Amino acid sequence: MQLFLFFGILKGSVSYAILKTKEVINIMAWFFTEENISGSNYTLVGESAKHISKVLRMRTGEDITLVSPDKTQYECKISLITQGEVTVDIISQKPCENEPDVFVTLYQALPKGDKMDFIVQKCTELGISRIVPMISARCVSRPDEKSLKKKCERWQKIALQAAMQSRRGIIPEVTPCISFKDAAEQTKQNEKTVFFYEMGGESVKKILNGTKPKTVGMFIGSEGGFEQSEVDSVTAIGGQAATLGKRILRAETAPLAALSIIMYETDNFSS
């Protein structure tokens, strides 16, 4: 009787574990399409199809979510899995509501080592829209053009994976690396530019002053921070120097803190 009871408990535990595993897979089954969807079904190919069939080991009849470039979210059911292709039937669709209503561009001075991998991943989770790697005066990391191209390709893949994991409505763009001068020129298109400076500035709350700009550019330095001349060049075109407090943050911590504050002050952490 005790053995039967133990087996019953064990069997129930296994069933519960399988159920929870399926729930996790369904949460992870979030994919982006390269084009807008029309019709009642859609076929995924390439890496997405491979991930569904080989990594997640999903089967016909299981549910997945697709998001198209026009930010439409499709709830789908797998109808066919073949070699290199996964076809789904579209059950329902609606606008994806997971995106912040502020478009934030991160101008990030290249940090040393693989810290940029972490920055791209976590900023994607927090709602960044575009990441622009740049070379500033105090950057220690200065890869050659060929290495930079490979790095940018890897960062874009990291952004894709993080967007899938965090159920974003878009895949943030990681642009080619540019000079600080070009970044300063580019940020003129933003409604608000915030320059996070280790030597001090205003709080983000005071800079935004209760407003909700549609586009924000934020500048974050590498390990050595920024030259005063760089600060002056951005403030001369309307940017504002901001502070992250009295403590000095690591190069990979500062962008996460800065983005979190902007999202909070623009009400993008509310449900």
Side-chain angles (χ1 to χ4, degrees):
M1 178 65 71
Q2 289 179 339
L3 179 61
F4 178 78
L5 179 62
F6 175 76
F7 177 75
I9 294 172
L10 180 61
K11 183 179 179 181
S13 300
V14 171
S15 298
Y16 177 75
I18 292 172
L19 178 63
K20 296 303 289 183
T21 300
K22 287 295 183 184
E23 289 178 1
V24 170
I25 288 175
N26 286 339
I27 290 173
M28 293 172 62
W30 185 277
F31 295 88
F32 294 92
T33 66
E34 295 183 356
E35 66 279 314
N36 294 331
I37 297 175
S38 60
S40 60
N41 54 57
Y42 186 81
T43 299
L44 295 127
V45 297
E47 288 299 317
S48 293
K50 181 180 178 181
H51 191 76
I52 291 169
S53 60
K54 302 297 184 183
V55 179
L56 297 180
R57 296 184 179 278
M58 299 186 74
R59 297 291 180 261
T60 56
E62 294 192 292
D63 300 326
I64 70 168
T65 302
L66 301 182
V67 180
S68 56
D70 61 0
K71 299 180 186 176
T72 300
Q73 179 178 327
Y74 297 86
E75 300 306 327
C76 309
K77 192 175 292 291
I78 299 174
S79 59
L80 181 66
I81 299 177
T82 59
Q83 187 67 32
E85 292 187 351
V86 174
T87 300
V88 301
D89 293 331
I90 296 170
I91 308 303
S92 64
Q93 67 182 76
K94 65 176 183 178
C96 184
E97 299 176 344
N98 297 358
E99 283 305 294
D101 58 10
V102 56
F103 189 103
V104 181
T105 299
L106 167 62
Y107 297 95
Q108 176 66 54
L110 287 184
K112 294 186 291 186
D114 59 359
K115 294 175 184 176
M116 193 69 177
D117 294 10
F118 180 82
I119 292 170
V120 170
Q121 182 187 62
K122 299 309 173 187
C123 282
T124 296
E125 293 176 24
L126 287 167
I128 202 73
S129 295
R130 182 190 296 126
I131 299 172
V132 182
M134 65 178 183
I135 303 291
S136 63
R138 296 183 181 178
C139 280
V140 175
S141 177
R142 293 174 180 270
D144 58 41
E145 187 175 345
K146 184 177 181 181
S147 297
L148 265 178
K149 183 179 179 181
K150 288 183 178 179
K151 285 177 180 289
C152 287
E153 289 172 353
R154 184 175 79 247
W155 295 332
Q156 188 63 71
K157 288 181 180 178
I158 291 171
L160 168 61
Q161 293 163 357
M164 291 168 61
Q165 179 270 316
S166 56
R167 301 171 76 86
R168 291 287 303 271
I170 66 165
I171 307 166
E173 177 191 10
V174 181
T175 74
C177 187
I178 60 176
S179 67
F180 180 89
K181 181 180 178 181
D182 288 342
E185 182 64 27
Q186 188 183 112
T187 197
K188 290 179 181 179
Q189 66 190 6
N190 292 305
E191 189 176 338
K192 185 75 71 174
T193 294
V194 186
F195 194 101
F196 289 93
Y197 187 38
E198 65 276 7
M199 300 304 291
E202 301 286 355
S203 68
V204 173
K205 184 180 183 70
K206 188 171 183 179
I207 289 173
L208 295 181
N209 193 29
T211 63
K212 291 189 68 174
K214 293 296 182 183
T215 58
V216 175
M218 66 177 209
F219 281 72
I220 301 289
S222 60
E223 291 82 359
F226 288 114
E227 296 278 0
Q228 183 62 48
S229 60
E230 293 173 324
V231 182
D232 294 341
S233 67
V234 174
T235 55
I237 58 175
Q240 293 175 269
T243 180
L244 288 171
K246 296 180 180 179
R247 294 166 297 282
I248 300 297
L249 304 183
R250 294 174 64 92
E252 67 271 32
T253 307
L256 310 187
L259 181 57
S260 296
I261 294 169
I262 291 172
M263 289 297 170
Y264 177 79
E265 293 295 341
T266 55
D267 293 326
N268 278 293
F269 274 155
S270 58
S271 58

